Amino acid sequence: MLAGPKKLSLRILQDFSGSNGSLEKSPRLQGAGPHTRAGEPGVQRRHRDGDAGRTEGSKLVALFEHPLYNIPVPEVTEKDKLFVVNPMEKFSLRSSGSDEWVSSSKAETLLPTGKTAYDTYPTWLKFHVGINRYELYPRRDPLMPTLLRDLATQRIVSSVQKSGGTQLKLIMTFPNYGQALFKPMKQTRDQETPIDFFYFSDFERHNAEIAAFHLDRILDFRRIPPVSGRLVNITKEIRDITTDKKLAKTFFISPAGNVCFYGECSYYCSTEHALCGKPDQLEGSMAALLPDKTLAKRHSWRSPWRRSYHKSKKAEWELNPNYCAQVRETPPYDRGHRLLDLIDMTVLDFLMGNMDRHHYETFEKFGNDTFLLHLDNGRGFGTHSRDEPSILAPLQQCCSIKKSTYLRLQLLATQPYRLSDLLREALATDPLAPVLAEPHLRALDRRLGKVLAVVGRCLARAASPEEVLVDDVGSRV
């Protein structure tokens, strides 16, 4: 019942993939996007389109023009691409309106055609084939405005509940066979997580997913798939089109006359925790899905600093002050930049207040030499009046951080590039703006100061700065 859209999207990517194929020789596909300079026509056009909050004269524009945000990534070779693509295969749809995809040789092309097959790909497919060893998407990605707009406006043709997980999430499918993960609104912007709540029983917040994507981008990590807010009609875009019989049984009309549903999950899936529209309009986040794992296998790694997920027991890292030395001797943290990437993720989580980072993922194809995927950020931005210093344990215990990350954090602590101002601007063009309440934005600046203070204490104890700041930029800045 649930396999139809999934099989279809798999088939699409399988048809485009070929062991002997290669991507078109164009800047979009060769990773040249990050080197595009502001002021070129492409950049000006993106500013007009919004580009997730970027406008002419904005702080975001100034940030992305800064030398720290123009450090080139290594040259992307064929082995560094997630997919090797058949450059001759065009993307086409049946003119009959059927939901079946066929190759261009067998059907009338409904999508715009261009000089290359790549020009016929829908934006979600271009996003997938652009993933490489070094980045999920380039800094100056010309696809981003269109991809975010698609997530917010594309017609929804299928809605089914995502299996697994502790709280309700839906998989939405679009007419061009793109798919998104929908997390519905569970609480208002102004509600803080109760002080007596355990982190593992906290709500997942749709606005946290949106804000996390933009924050991750401002930090120049670019490890969270694109996310947009969206107002969904529960009746027309979920209830009336779902093929998920279990989900369909959970819809009802509340005493106030609102359309509600609750699905099936481990937490908060009951009549008492139902998701209700006004009367059938419901906010939510729409996150672009990554390529299916059968095509691009991902490895799930348990975080060494995972919490105990127990009401009274503590994890080993909370009891052993020399815990990092043990981690440094354990694969995959004993070589490469994996530990430093995990510390990057720690900084992101502390700024958001996310205590729920028990696992992370990487693309198997790239082995240990690749970035970490920062997925599932719904438990961020739950509190603004208090900080959780234990989230910074990896940084505190290891006293190591990438030099590039540290320099960018320092930059974001200055008045021209104030972190709260940048995120406020980035979120301003989201369909659900304002995405975060002002106290959450102000908390970012306070927490950034605490991150820099931790690094400062590490530097004060170190024999030389090189012991703390791992040089990953050299003479490039």
Side-chain angles (χ1 to χ4, degrees):
M1 176 180 63
L2 303 181
K6 177 180 176 182
K7 285 184 177 179
L8 191 57
S9 62
L10 284 181
R11 179 177 163 190
I12 291 169
L13 270 175
Q14 285 169 338
D15 284 342
F16 283 99
S17 301
S19 58
N20 296 321
S22 63
L23 294 175
E24 298 293 330
K25 304 299 182 183
S26 72
R28 283 179 297 183
L29 299 175
Q30 290 297 324
H35 311 297
T36 306
R37 295 296 176 187
E40 293 180 2
V43 178
Q44 292 173 354
R45 181 173 60 255
R46 291 202 304 279
H47 294 171
R48 290 196 295 270
D49 288 342
D51 199 12
R54 290 172 62 187
T55 55
E56 292 289 357
S58 72
K59 286 192 174 185
L60 276 173
V61 170
L63 180 76
F64 292 130
E65 289 175 352
H66 193 279
L68 285 170
Y69 287 78
N70 285 279
I71 301 171
V73 298
E75 181 182 357
V76 179
T77 63
E78 289 296 309
K79 67 179 181 180
D80 296 322
K81 298 168 185 172
L82 187 61
F83 292 112
V84 177
V85 176
N86 179 353
M88 302 303 295
E89 189 67 63
K90 292 187 177 182
F91 185 94
S92 308
L93 298 170
R94 272 195 194 277
S95 58
S96 63
S98 166
D99 283 340
E100 183 180 357
W101 181 92
V102 294
S103 70
S104 57
S105 60
K106 300 178 182 177
E108 177 186 347
T109 300
L110 297 186
L111 296 178
T113 58
K115 294 181 180 179
T116 68
Y118 177 88
D119 296 325
T120 71
Y121 296 3
T123 310
W124 67 265
L125 185 55
K126 292 179 181 178
F127 165 56
H128 284 182
V129 301
I131 299 171
N132 62 64
R133 179 186 302 277
Y134 307 108
E135 54 193 5
L136 193 57
Y137 58 88
R139 291 188 187 100
R140 300 176 183 272
D141 188 357
L143 300 175
M144 196 55 64
T146 306
L147 183 53
L148 292 175
R149 187 165 55 248
D150 284 353
L151 292 170
T153 62
Q154 279 268 319
R155 182 168 60 90
I156 298 169
V157 297
S158 172
S159 301
V160 296
Q161 184 169 348
K162 184 181 184 299
S163 60
T166 59
Q167 300 185 37
L168 183 136
K169 296 178 281 289
L170 302 178
I171 300 292
M172 306 295 211
T173 304
F174 305 128
N176 65 1
Y177 309 117
Q179 292 186 313
L181 180 67
F182 178 74
K183 286 192 177 182
M185 177 179 177
K186 294 188 175 72
Q187 62 185 45
T188 66
R189 311 284 197 276
D190 300 318
Q191 287 178 276
E192 280 201 275
T193 302
I195 195 169
D196 291 322
F197 262 40
F198 287 102
Y199 52 88
F200 49 79
S201 59
D202 191 10
F203 283 115
E204 291 185 6
R205 287 166 285 277
H206 71 301
N207 60 321
E209 294 286 358
I210 302 166
F213 161 67
H214 290 280
L215 178 59
D216 177 82
R217 197 171 179 217
I218 289 169
L219 294 171
D220 200 44
F221 296 154
R222 291 169 288 117
R223 301 164 194 170
I224 296 178
V227 185
S228 173
R230 179 162 180 162
L231 199 62
V232 168
N233 186 303
I234 297 176
T235 302
K236 296 179 179 179
E237 296 180 307
I238 302 178
R239 189 192 68 182
D240 291 353
I241 62 174
T242 187
T243 55
D244 188 332
K245 294 181 180 179
K246 291 183 179 179
L247 176 65
K249 291 179 180 179
T250 69
F251 286 86
F252 63 93
I253 305 297
S254 75
N258 295 321
V259 182
C260 307
F261 69 105
Y262 52 85
E264 290 189 354
C265 59
S266 304
Y267 289 94
Y268 307 125
C269 281
S270 64
T271 305
E272 294 75 22
H273 296 101
L275 303 162
C276 297
K278 295 181 180 180
D280 55 5
Q281 299 293 309
L282 178 65
E283 282 188 22
S285 62
M286 297 283 276
L289 289 189
L290 293 172
D292 193 275
K293 291 182 180 179
T294 57
L295 291 176
K297 292 182 180 179
R298 304 200 299 269
H299 189 107
S300 180
W301 304 84
R302 178 173 172 147
S303 171
W305 280 270
R306 180 184 186 272
R307 296 178 186 275
S308 66
Y309 287 81
H310 192 278
K311 293 182 178 68
S312 57
K313 290 182 180 179
K314 290 189 175 183
E316 184 181 353
W317 59 266
E318 296 177 279
L319 304 171
N320 180 5
N322 297 315
Y323 181 75
C324 185
Q326 176 181 325
V327 173
R328 288 183 186 276
E329 296 176 356
T330 306
Y333 307 99
D334 57 343
R335 62 180 182 83
H337 49 79
R338 177 65 66 89
L339 180 58
L340 294 168
D341 286 343
L342 189 141
I343 290 172
D344 280 350
M345 187 166 60
T346 292
V347 171
L348 173 72
D349 284 335
F350 178 72
L351 293 173
M352 296 191 297
N354 177 27
M355 301 173 65
D356 189 38
R357 189 70 69 184
H358 46 84
H359 286 79
Y360 63 87
E361 295 184 10
T362 59
F363 288 108
E364 278 192 9
K365 178 178 180 179
F366 304 134
N368 192 43
D369 185 21
T370 188
F371 59 89
L372 315 186
L373 289 162
H374 300 168
L375 306 177
D376 203 4
N377 304 286
R379 285 191 169 130
F381 297 103
T383 61
H384 54 72
S385 58
R386 57 189 184 275
D387 305 331
E388 182 50 58
S390 65
I391 299 174
L392 285 178
L395 176 60
Q396 293 167 332
Q397 294 177 356
C398 298
C399 266
S400 290
I401 190 171
K402 292 178 184 175
K403 185 178 179 180
S404 64
T405 299
Y406 179 62
L407 292 175
R408 289 186 186 112
L409 293 176
Q410 284 187 312
L411 182 69
L412 296 172
T414 64
Q415 177 62 33
Y417 304 98
R418 189 191 300 274
L419 179 56
S420 58
D421 293 341
L422 290 163
L423 187 58
R424 184 184 297 106
E425 181 185 336
L427 296 174
T429 56
D430 187 86
L432 300 183
V435 174
L436 290 178
E438 278 297 314
H440 284 290
L441 292 166
R442 293 194 294 269
L444 284 171
D445 298 324
R446 180 182 71 238
R447 291 169 182 167
L448 176 56
K450 292 184 177 182
V451 175
L452 293 173
V454 170
V455 180
R457 288 192 290 271
C458 289
L459 289 168
R461 294 194 302 266
S464 67
E466 290 74 19
E467 290 183 9
V468 178
L469 306 179
V470 180
D471 191 355
D472 61 329
V473 292
S475 60
R476 291 177 288 176
V477 294

